[in-house]
């Protein structure tokens, strides 16, 4: 359910932006505001957002299930980036690397 919501959000972005950056901003947005649906409620219950004076933030799990959730989202973001890279790689021809 949560990965499905993130994947819908991820599809809105251009291929140049790494999925991990999109994930961190998405989590920050979902945790910072008042929960409107079950996905946001679960994220707020399982993950805490810590900020420092410089405006940097850190996402930490509150429990072991939160840790598994963060790991799953992280792995999904990495696999999405790998998918995009492989898709690009299959479009490349050997002749694209010939220097003239």
């Amino acid at each position: 359910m949560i990965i499905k919501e993130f994947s819908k959000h991820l599809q809105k972005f251009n291929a140049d932006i790494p999925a991990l950056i999109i994930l961190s901003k998405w989590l920050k947005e979902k945790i910072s505001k008042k929960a409107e649906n079950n996905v946001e409620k679960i994220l707020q219950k399982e993950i805490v957002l810590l900020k420092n004076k410089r405006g940097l933030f850190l996402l930490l799990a509150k429990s072991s299930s939160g840790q598994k959730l963060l790991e799953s989202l992280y792995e999904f973001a990495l696999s999405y980036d790998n998918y995009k890279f492989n898709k690009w790689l299959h479009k490349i021809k050997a002749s694209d690397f010939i220097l003239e």
Side-chain angles (χ1 to χ4, degrees), residues 3-58:
I3 290 179
K4 183 177 179 181
E5 284 296 315
F6 174 61
S7 69
K8 287 179 188 176
H9 180 73
L10 193 56
Q11 293 172 0
K12 299 176 189 175
F13 290 88
N14 139 356
D16 297 338
I17 303 171
L20 287 176
I21 292 177
I22 297 169
L23 173 63
S24 64
K25 290 180 180 182
W26 182 74
L27 286 172
K28 182 180 176 183
E29 173 190 321
K30 296 294 181 186
I31 293 171
S32 298
K33 68 178 188 173
K34 183 180 177 199
E36 297 174 0
N37 56 40
N38 287 338
V39 169
E40 293 171 359
K41 287 177 186 176
I42 292 169
L43 288 172
Q44 290 176 6
K45 182 174 173 50
E46 297 294 338
I47 301 169
V48 64
L49 176 71
L50 304 173
K51 298 179 188 177
N52 68 6
K53 294 177 185 176
R54 297 175 66 189
L56 300 174
F57 66 94
L58 178 66

